[in-house]
Amino acid sequence: MSCCAPCSAGAIKQLADDGADFIVLFYNPNISPESEYQKRLIEQIKLCESLDVKYVIGEYDHDKWLSCVCGLEDEPERGRRCAECFKMRIAWGVDRAREHGYNTLATVFGISKWKDQKQIDEAGAQICANAIQYIPVNWDESMRIDENKKYDFYRQKYCGCEFSMPKK
């Protein structure tokens, strides 16, 4: 699962270079405003198409995401709001993976400096249990950096949701 092209570039390149059979799942109803979501989506599609990689784009339903995190708006980054957000998005990913014939799921959500890989792995293991295998992966950081230089992706200054936006 991918949150954005800058975070996923190295992982996607690594999997493509290894000849892996995979599909990139982009489901990010947490991103706000919608204009920010569109920027990240365009960059993700650009990356996948340049590497000839299959991808699936989930519906942008920010209201559904807001319902998921209702009551957790004041949680700090890496708090309970983030855990619920990961669970929601990973559950969608499990359904899409199974729908497309895959039995494993990995994510790049933890690459972001704003996130906690342990928290993501816990959410992944919990949601994937009894459905498909969750693979906690430590992606090649140097490959991510190289791919970001190559593509010169749009880069954001916050995780994505309005509650993580920098205060002006």
Side-chain angles (χ1 to χ4, degrees):
M1 295 196 67
S2 175
C3 51
C4 63
C7 287
S8 67
I12 293 171
K13 176 81 164 110
Q14 186 177 339
L15 290 167
D17 286 354
D18 290 347
D21 178 22
F22 69 101
I23 188 167
V24 175
L25 303 174
F26 186 88
Y27 178 60
N28 297 292
N30 56 305
I31 298 173
S32 181
E34 189 172 356
S35 59
E36 176 70 20
Y37 170 84
Q38 291 298 328
K39 289 176 188 174
R40 295 183 194 199
L41 174 61
I42 289 166
E43 294 291 90
Q44 187 68 70
I45 291 171
K46 179 174 77 172
L47 172 64
C48 290
E49 290 182 351
S50 73
L51 295 172
D52 197 27
V53 168
K54 299 176 284 187
Y55 60 91
V56 172
I57 307 302
E59 178 184 11
Y60 180 73
D61 187 346
H62 191 65
D63 289 338
K64 182 178 180 180
W65 178 82
L66 285 170
S67 293
C68 173
V69 300
C70 184
L72 303 172
E73 297 87 350
D74 293 328
E75 282 285 312
E77 279 300 288
R78 300 180 174 151
R80 292 183 305 147
R81 181 187 66 247
C82 295
E84 292 307 310
C85 176
F86 297 139
K87 289 175 189 175
M88 175 193 181
R89 292 159 60 209
I90 290 169
W92 179 90
V94 167
D95 291 343
R96 297 301 83 67
R98 293 174 84 188
E99 183 180 296
H100 290 274
Y102 294 92
N103 61 5
T104 57
L105 184 115
T107 178
V108 298
F109 294 164
I111 289 174
S112 170
K113 64 183 177 183
W114 293 287
K115 296 303 167 202
D116 175 5
Q117 186 66 51
K118 182 179 178 205
Q119 182 184 45
I120 294 158
D121 290 342
E122 288 170 359
Q126 179 184 349
I127 298 302
C128 290
N130 304 317
I132 64 175
Q133 181 182 10
Y134 175 75
I135 302 173
V137 181
N138 291 318
W139 302 102
D140 183 337
E141 180 67 8
S142 64
M143 191 173 284
R144 183 187 69 78
I145 292 167
D146 291 345
E147 291 303 298
N148 273 276
K149 287 178 185 173
K150 176 180 172 183
Y151 288 98
D152 190 31
F153 292 120
Y154 159 75
R155 300 186 68 83
Q156 56 282 354
K157 304 285 187 222
Y158 64 105
C159 173
C161 80
E162 57 263 44
F163 310 115
S164 67
M165 281 183 177
K167 305 293 185 237
K168 292 183 181 186

